[in-house]
Amino acid sequence: MPGVLKRTSTRGELDSTMAAGDESKEMMNGQGSRKRKAEELLNGDTYVNGGVSTTNGVYADGAVADPGMSPEILAAVVHNISSQLPPEIEHITQGYMPLSRLITRLAQDTFNGLTETINEMADMQPPTNNVLSHTNSLGSTQASPVNVQKKTRMWEFAHDRRAKFIKILVLSQWSRQAESVGKVIELNFWLNSQRQLYKDATAWIGELKRILAPMKLPSPHLKTALEALSTGKAAWLPDLNYLPPEPLSPQQMLKALRTINTLLHIRLNLHETIPPAFKNFSISSGRVTFHVEDEFELGLSIADEDPSSQLYFIDFRFSFSPCMTEIPGGWLRNEVEGKSNDVLRREGLAGCYNFLHDLVLTHKLRILRSQTIELARARWSDNIKIEPVHRSLVVQYWLNRPGGKSWVEIGIRSGRKEKTSGSKGSGVPCIAVRWHRNGKEVTDFKIDMSLGDLSMEAILKQIIALHINYIFRETKRRLRESPIYAKKVFTLKHKASTAEPTNCHLLVQVTGASTVKIVQEPISGAFALIPPSTLHSRLERDLNALRDPAAEAFSRIAFSRCISGIEEAEHRSRMLGWQSLKMQNPSQEIVKKHFGADVVRLSFFRPISWEKEWSLAISTSMAGDFWWVVEVREVSKDPSTAELASGQAQPIRSAFRIPIAPKGTLVSDPSYSKLSNVENTAAAIIGQCIDCRELANAHIHHIQQKPSEPLGNVHVPDLLIFYEKQQLGERGPQTITKIPPWCHDIVKSSFRGLSRSRTSVVTIVSIRLKGTISNISTLTSTTSSSLAFHPTSGTVAFRLSTPIGQSSVPAILERLSRIGRLIRFLDILKRRALPCSHISLSSLAFTYAPSLTATIRFDTDAPMTIAFAPLNPHLRIQDFLASMLAAKPGLEYVTYVLHLTLPLLRAFAAIEAAPRKPGAELHILPRAATWYRVRYEGPHLAYEIRLRQRSDHVLWFSRKATEQETPKAVVDAWDKLCHGRGEGWMGLRDGISAEVLCVEALVRKIDEVVREAGLGDEDASASGKAAVAETKQEQEDVKAEVQIKTEKEVFVID
């Protein structure tokens, strides 16, 4: 702008700005040195005065420019000058728009207006009800009202458009000088802003003076102060010469107060109508004090003895908290006192109570509102919303919960319609609470507002506690309708509190080992589950998204409970080594067919030892958690039409529910032992299912009955098999044979758990004998744990272990066959008076001599064998005795041979253990159980001893064998024996015979004779005598054992 210097940031801008004040000067051409150009930049343009060219520019401080100044110094000088310039005026750019846009919009608006005007003119039709209108002249037609209106409308439009285009013409002419006018506008705006700053500064100084005026202390008047303090009065103050009253003595004051008290008693009891709220009052110190509980205390007195005179306000105190006890002196107390005296004068005590009662109620609402505001700023921030409505207080809580709004409204109830519990009498206003829960008003609720100790937080907590209790109570009621909680299989507890919402919770047992505690945070209303887990966090998220938790929380908790049951079963099954079958996912139709329609979740497992055709399944629903034994089949990828029609294309063939005893045990306590019981029961069900199918295919009658002795919590029915000989003979399978004649035709199979390896099913099979067993005490004490005899019923029971998934019917019949053989053996031992030391279905041990036992083994797939202890004499003929067992008559003949050969074999053992001289040898070679060859070396002698029967007696016969040459001394000794006689033996010239019990003495005698012949000294004779004496003693012991009958009981089969 002309005459205004602007700050420039470049040297070119500085030149153009300084040259704008004088347009008549000419700029010199750009010739000369660099210093000349610098001076031009510093001093402005170079002008020529006369004929000599000189530089007229000066520095800002009046110094002459130095022609030899360097460019660096010039740049610094220029920067210094530019920094001293005033700030640039603000450029106004708001509200500017291109003129072309304004013209375009005006043209468009004109076109639209012309179109609308033509349309309106076209709608203006002349009236057609006049028949003669068509015969009117042209002049009358043009002067019609319609034509006049059309012309007027067109004229108005043209006039309006003309005015607007004139404005556009003016704006177009002004725009040619827009740059200069814009600078004037900017300068004017800057000047106005400067004037406003001066005005604002003046106003601020005046306001500051006004504010500081009350704070200024007035100057003290020292003369008046000195006179008043010294003489007690001021000369300039007027004196009205009033006589001061005489001061009252204490006695007069006490008398006056007692008089006033008496007058108050008389007046209140005889003349005043006391409102019900003022029934509690006390009179003392010349005043009556009315006590209104939880509201206020009012002190009144009288100024006249006349009963019709009014009572006067003395004192007023609030009797609730939090609030100041007394109203401090000032305008508020003066206002309350003046209003109270006025009401007492006009309406008496009733009007005064109504006024003060209304004042207290309003004050209480203000206190509650202020407490609510403090809560909204602190702990309850963003969770409550305050809405003051007239004299009421509306507080909305749980702002962030979905669904309907919930709020509590605290206000003053008039009490005119009904007598409320909070009012002091009929028709007295009181503070009341209205509660809206999810947008619906709740009428049947009670809270303790504690009007004597106001607490908005306590009121909110009580309302929220009622809301939480309602949600939990409804959820519990709906859960109680399901069988699993109705039958108290799972616990369901609701702890309610009317004052503290944090103490409200719902305890839901979701599985036998898991209980979830559902709480609701009172401030935000968010649900929380304790203890935290992944599943519980999912349920917590679902509960917090519900719009109506009281009606919808039941389904979420029920679904979560079913998932928890499945997860806990899967967790514990993994600890037992079960395999989870994730790929087995049957359709909904199959699940409904085999497991029921109310199943929520289903999971399949398979123990390691089970076959692929069988698996376990657990189904969860609100009716309970149930375990199933599932039989599956291999399904082809492309099932045929026949398979689809018959149902063979379905992956599940059958499903059997596992019985729970007692009901709910496996659900309420799914521990590892209980899951083991599930596996045990399932294995038993599988075994019985296979047995029943095999029996049904064989047309054998069978039934299941309640177990007589349940195995703990495993209740599996007993299987009764009715074998009929005709059926078995004609239709029975190859593995089934006829029932032996010694027992009845009913066999009972009872489940007794799994084996230690958990690969086999253990059952107890029992069958009754046709006869009774005597001496059962001796028998049962010697049997193994796999075989038992009942003492009274004559029942034989044995333990059977069958692999899971296989039939036990063939094994049962095979065991029955072995029991028959065992009973036959026992009968033989009973007749031989041989006590048994051990009895089982595969072995039998009996004692046939003192400290000598024999064990007979008769396994199914192996021939019978007999075994003896390491030092048993019969080890010498063990193989011969085993051969006798396989032949007839078998065990009976073996026991007879054991009795007959025992003395001889004892003698052989004794002579083999006797000391001999070096080079002397003894060889005993058994050729049969009753035929032996004895050969001596050094000296040589060989003889045979054999058991033969003569008449009714069985004797041992000994005869010398014809081998190599025998020494003469030995031959003579042998001949002497053959012609001699001894106790129980006698010579037969060519041999020697001996009784069974005396053969031991004969063998010892022969051994003594041979050794004496070989030794030829007295030592051999002495040792021989000692051996003979020992033999006699043992022979006597054996005779005593055989002759004396044992007194122990033995079993007898009748």
Side-chain angles (χ1 to χ4, degrees):
M1 294 178 60
V4 179
L5 184 63
K6 296 184 179 179
R7 178 184 297 179
T8 57
S9 57
T10 61
R11 295 181 181 179
E13 294 176 354
L14 182 60
D15 294 340
S16 60
T17 304
M18 297 177 65
D22 192 356
E23 296 180 358
S24 61
K25 297 181 181 180
E26 296 180 357
M27 180 181 287
M28 296 180 63
N29 296 330
Q31 298 180 359
S33 62
R34 183 177 299 175
K35 294 182 180 180
R36 180 78 177 200
K37 292 182 179 180
E39 292 176 356
E40 293 177 358
L41 290 174
L42 179 63
N43 303 321
D45 296 333
T46 306
Y47 301 98
V48 179
N49 297 326
V52 182
S53 176
T54 59
T55 57
N56 301 323
V58 294
Y59 289 106
D61 53 0
V64 180
D66 187 3
M69 185 180 295
S70 64
E72 291 78 4
I73 298 175
L74 287 175
V77 172
V78 171
H79 178 70
N80 187 20
I81 295 174
S82 61
S83 62
Q84 295 178 2
L85 296 177
E88 186 177 356
I89 295 177
E90 181 180 0
H91 296 284
I92 299 175
T93 59
Q94 296 179 356
Y96 282 72
M97 66 176 60
L99 181 62
S100 59
R101 183 184 303 175
L102 185 61
I103 297 173
T104 303
R105 290 182 179 180
L106 179 60
Q108 183 66 33
D109 184 63
T110 303
F111 176 77
N112 295 337
L114 180 60
T115 304
E116 293 179 1
T117 303
I118 294 173
N119 293 335
E120 290 178 1
M121 293 171 63
D123 293 338
M124 297 179 183
Q125 297 295 335
T128 58
N129 54 354
N130 191 358
V131 182
L132 301 177
S133 61
H134 298 281
T135 62
N136 293 336
S137 61
L138 180 61
S140 61
T141 303
Q142 294 178 356
S144 64
V146 175
N147 290 334
V148 172
Q149 291 179 5
K150 291 181 179 180
K151 293 178 181 180
T152 303
R153 183 69 182 90
M154 179 59 72
W155 181 85
E156 290 177 354
F157 171 75
H159 183 271
D160 179 65
R161 293 294 117 178
R162 178 178 176 277
K164 291 185 177 181
F165 276 100
I166 291 174
K167 294 179 181 179
I168 290 296
L169 177 61
V170 174
L171 291 176
S172 64
Q173 293 177 355
W174 176 84
S175 63
R176 296 185 181 93
Q177 300 177 359
E179 183 177 358
S180 301
V181 174
K183 294 179 180 179
V184 173
I185 294 173
E186 293 175 359
L187 181 59
N188 182 52
F189 177 77
W190 180 80
L191 291 174
N192 291 335
S193 63
Q194 296 298 317
R195 293 191 188 98
Q196 186 63 33
L197 290 176
Y198 281 108
K199 292 179 181 180
D200 293 344
T202 305
W204 178 79
I205 294 173
E207 182 67 17
L208 180 62
K209 182 178 180 181
R210 187 186 65 80
I211 294 174
L212 295 177
M215 301 180 183
K216 182 179 179 181
L217 295 176
S219 300
H221 197 276
L222 299 180
K223 181 179 179 181
T224 303
L226 181 60
E227 183 180 2
L229 291 176
S230 58
T231 62
K233 61 181 181 179
W236 60 273
L237 291 177
D239 188 4
L240 302 179
N241 297 320
Y242 287 132
L243 297 176
E246 296 181 0
L248 296 177
S249 63
Q251 292 79 7
Q252 291 176 341
M253 294 177 62
L254 181 59
K255 182 180 179 181
L257 292 177
R258 288 177 178 176
T259 302
I260 295 175
N261 292 341
T262 304
L263 293 175
L264 287 173
H265 275 288
I266 296 173
R267 181 167 179 172
L268 293 177
N269 289 302
L270 299 178
H271 303 284
E272 290 289 343
T273 301
I274 303 176
F278 280 175
K279 291 297 183 181
N280 183 17
F281 63 89
S282 61
I283 300 175
S284 64
S285 301
R287 69 175 67 181
V288 55
T289 303
F290 295 98
H291 305 276
V292 182
E293 185 180 2
D294 296 336
E295 289 192 13
F296 61 88
E297 294 180 359
L298 175 63
L300 302 178
S301 186
I302 58 176
D304 195 350
E305 296 181 0
D306 186 4
S308 61
S309 62
Q310 76 168 79
L311 296 170
Y312 288 93
F313 179 92
I314 300 298
D315 194 10
F316 178 81
R317 293 183 298 273
F318 292 109
S319 59
F320 62 90
S321 62
C323 182
M324 55 185 177
T325 305
E326 296 183 358
I327 300 177
W331 69 269
L332 178 59
R333 180 179 178 85
N334 296 334
E335 186 70 20
V336 172
E337 182 177 355
K339 185 65 176 178
S340 299
N341 289 330
D342 183 61
V343 172
L344 284 171
R345 179 178 57 82
R346 290 184 291 102
E347 302 178 14
L349 290 177
C352 183
Y353 167 73
N354 292 333
F355 164 67
L356 295 178
H357 177 65
D358 188 65
L359 174 66
V360 170
L361 295 182
T362 304
H363 188 47
K364 286 184 176 181
L365 289 179
R366 293 182 63 87
I367 293 175
L368 292 175
R369 181 181 292 109
S370 62
Q371 291 181 350
T372 308
I373 294 173
E374 291 297 328
L375 292 176
R377 293 174 178 174
R379 292 180 54 198
W380 298 68
S381 177
D382 298 332
N383 290 286
I384 60 175
K385 182 180 180 182
I386 307 169
E387 297 179 359
V389 181
H390 302 293
R391 295 178 62 187
S392 300
L393 174 63
V394 179
V395 181
Q396 181 185 350
Y397 60 93
W398 293 355
L399 299 179
N400 300 321
R401 276 208 58 82
K405 295 181 180 180
S406 300
W407 69 89
V408 55
E409 181 180 352
I410 304 176
I412 299 176
R413 181 179 296 171
S414 63
R416 288 189 295 267
K417 294 183 179 181
E418 58 182 355
K419 181 178 178 181
T420 60
S421 59
S423 63
K424 302 299 182 293
S426 177
V428 178
C430 64
I431 293 181
V433 178
R434 296 177 62 189
W435 176 31
H436 288 75
R437 181 180 61 210
N438 293 335
K440 298 180 181 179
E441 184 176 1
V442 182
T443 57
D444 54 341
F445 73 97
K446 294 182 180 179
I447 64 171
D448 182 15
M449 296 191 64
S450 299
L451 296 177
D453 185 11
L454 296 176
S455 175
M456 189 61 197
E457 185 173 10
I459 295 174
L460 278 176
K461 284 185 176 181
Q462 292 183 63
I463 294 295
I464 292 175
L466 292 176
H467 198 159
I468 295 175
N469 289 332
Y470 166 75
I471 294 174
F472 289 162
R473 184 171 60 253
E474 288 297 313
T475 304
K476 178 183 177 182
R477 182 183 63 81
R478 293 175 180 269
L479 289 174
R480 280 292 185 195
E481 296 175 357
S482 58
I484 197 170
Y485 292 106
K487 297 178 182 179
K488 297 184 179 180
V489 178
F490 283 166
T491 58
L492 186 63
K493 297 181 180 179
H494 169 216
K495 182 180 180 182
S497 176
T498 58
E500 185 58 47
T502 56
N503 295 333
C504 303
H505 65 262
L506 182 62
L507 195 65
V508 183
Q509 184 180 6
V510 293
T511 63
S514 176
T515 301
V516 59
K517 181 179 179 181
I518 305 176
V519 298
Q520 196 169 6
E521 204 276 322
I523 297 179
S524 63
F527 287 93
L529 275 69
I530 303 173
S533 66
T534 304
L535 180 61
H536 291 172
S537 63
R538 190 187 315 159
L539 175 58
E540 183 178 317
R541 184 172 59 254
D542 294 341
L543 292 178
N544 288 326
L546 297 178
R547 298 184 63 85
D548 189 3
E552 302 173 8
F554 154 76
S555 59
R556 301 298 191 277
I557 297 175
F559 184 75
S560 178
R561 194 217 70 78
C562 295
I563 297 178
S564 298
I566 290 293
E567 289 187 353
E568 183 168 325
E570 291 178 349
H571 171 70
R572 296 186 182 275
S573 64
R574 286 193 296 267
M575 302 301 294
L576 291 176
W578 294 358
Q579 180 184 1
S580 180
L581 306 179
K582 297 293 185 181
M583 300 300 295
Q584 191 163 346
N585 188 17
S587 63
Q588 190 65 29
E589 291 77 9
I590 297 177
V591 172
K592 186 180 298 184
K593 176 182 177 182
H594 293 284
F595 303 98
D598 57 346
V599 174
V600 178
R601 295 294 296 269
L602 188 67
S603 184
F604 293 87
F605 309 92
R606 180 182 293 122
I608 300 177
S609 59
W610 286 22
E611 300 293 336
K612 294 182 178 181
E613 292 79 9
W614 297 94
S615 62
L616 280 172
I618 180 173
S619 63
T620 60
S621 65
M622 291 309 293
D625 300 342
F626 302 105
W627 287 90
W628 304 77
V629 177
V630 181
E631 184 180 9
V632 298
R633 61 162 63 95
E634 294 292 335
V635 181
S636 59
K637 296 183 179 179
D638 299 323
S640 61
T641 306
E643 290 178 346
L644 291 174
S646 61
Q648 295 182 0
Q650 298 179 0
I652 297 179
R653 180 179 180 182
S654 58
F656 307 96
R657 181 173 165 180
I658 298 177
I660 300 175
K663 291 185 177 181
T665 300
L666 299 181
V667 181
S668 59
D669 184 17
S671 58
Y672 303 118
S673 61
K674 297 301 184 295
L675 290 184
S676 298
N677 293 338
V678 171
E679 184 179 357
N680 295 346
T681 308
I685 293 176
I686 293 173
Q688 287 194 1
C689 179
I690 296 175
D691 292 344
C692 292
R693 287 179 182 175
E694 183 170 352
L695 293 173
N697 294 334
H699 303 284
I700 298 176
H701 180 57
H702 59 279
I703 61 173
Q704 291 178 322
Q705 69 175 13
K706 186 178 180 180
S708 56
E709 296 180 1
L711 183 63
N713 291 329
V714 180
H715 281 205
V716 179
D718 294 338
L719 179 62
L720 297 182
I721 306 174
F722 299 89
Y723 288 102
E724 298 179 6
K725 298 179 181 180
Q726 184 178 1
Q727 288 181 343
L728 293 177
E730 296 177 358
R731 310 177 192 176
Q734 297 180 358
T735 57
I736 300 179
T737 59
K738 293 183 179 181
I739 289 294
W742 49 267
C743 62
H744 293 280
D745 57 353
I746 300 177
V747 179
K748 183 174 74 172
S749 176
S750 302
F751 174 72
R752 281 297 176 269
L754 297 179
S755 61
R756 291 185 177 180
S757 61
R758 309 191 72 81
T759 59
S760 302
V761 178
V762 178
T763 56
I764 300 298
V765 181
S766 59
I767 189 169
R768 290 186 62 187
L769 303 177
K770 291 183 178 180
T772 58
I773 301 177
S774 60
N775 304 327
I776 193 66
S777 60
T778 303
L779 179 62
T780 55
S781 63
T782 58
T783 56
S784 65
S785 58
S786 62
L787 183 64
F789 295 89
H790 197 275
T792 58
S793 63
T795 302
V796 180
F798 58 89
R799 182 184 301 167
L800 185 65
S801 181
T802 307
I804 299 175
Q806 297 183 10
S807 175
S808 62
V809 175
I812 291 175
L813 294 176
E814 187 272 334
R815 289 292 182 92
L816 292 178
S817 176
R818 290 166 65 179
I819 289 176
R821 180 167 49 188
L822 176 63
I823 292 177
R824 187 173 68 252
F825 287 171
L826 293 176
D827 183 55
I828 293 173
L829 295 178
K830 185 264 300 184
R831 293 198 306 269
R832 301 294 301 171
L834 299 178
C836 295
S837 59
H838 175 75
I839 299 175
S840 67
L841 293 178
S842 60
S843 63
L844 177 67
F846 60 91
T847 302
Y848 61 90
S851 304
L852 297 178
T853 59
T855 302
I856 299 176
R857 294 185 176 87
F858 40 91
D859 294 334
T860 304
D861 300 331
M864 287 191 296
T865 60
I866 187 169
F868 301 96
L871 299 180
N872 195 306
H874 282 94
L875 278 175
R876 195 184 304 272
I877 59 173
Q878 181 176 353
D879 295 338
F880 296 110
L881 294 177
S883 301
M884 292 179 183
L885 285 174
K888 292 184 179 181
L891 179 61
E892 187 172 6
Y893 182 61
V894 170
T895 57
Y896 184 68
V897 171
L898 290 175
H899 173 69
L900 296 177
T901 58
L902 178 59
L904 177 63
L905 295 177
R906 278 182 176 176
F908 286 162
I911 63 177
E912 282 182 339
R916 302 186 181 279
K917 68 178 182 178
E921 296 180 0
L922 174 63
H923 301 282
I924 301 175
L925 305 176
R927 293 186 175 182
T930 58
W931 185 7
Y932 304 90
R933 182 181 181 89
V934 183
R935 184 174 64 187
Y936 290 90
E937 297 291 342
H940 173 74
L941 174 65
Y943 70 92
E944 292 183 352
I945 184 168
R946 195 168 183 177
L947 185 66
R948 295 183 180 274
Q949 184 173 1
R950 291 293 177 88
S951 298
D952 296 334
H953 299 282
V954 178
L955 300 174
W956 286 99
F957 289 91
S958 176
R959 192 181 303 275
K960 188 171 75 69
T962 57
E963 290 185 351
Q964 60 184 6
E965 185 179 355
T966 304
K968 186 176 183 304
V970 177
V971 173
D972 293 342
W974 177 262
D975 292 340
K976 185 177 179 180
L977 290 174
C978 291
H979 291 81
R981 179 186 294 270
E983 184 176 0
W985 61 273
M986 60 179 296
L988 302 176
R989 295 183 181 180
D990 59 344
I992 306 171
S993 65
E995 296 179 1
V996 174
L997 300 179
C998 300
V999 69
E1000 187 174 358
L1002 174 61
V1003 173
R1004 290 179 181 268
K1005 182 65 177 176
I1006 294 173
D1007 181 72
E1008 177 187 355
V1009 169
V1010 173
R1011 287 194 298 169
E1012 288 179 352
L1015 294 175
D1017 54 12
E1018 296 180 356
D1019 295 337
S1021 177
S1023 62
K1025 292 180 180 180
V1028 170
E1030 183 178 358
T1031 301
K1032 288 182 178 181
Q1033 183 63 35
E1034 293 180 356
Q1035 184 175 354
E1036 293 295 333
D1037 295 340
V1038 172
K1039 288 181 179 180
E1041 292 174 3
V1042 174
Q1043 294 175 359
I1044 298 175
K1045 204 169 186 179
T1046 180
E1047 296 180 357
K1048 295 183 178 180
E1049 293 183 357
V1050 296
F1051 66 91
V1052 179
I1053 300 179
D1054 296 337

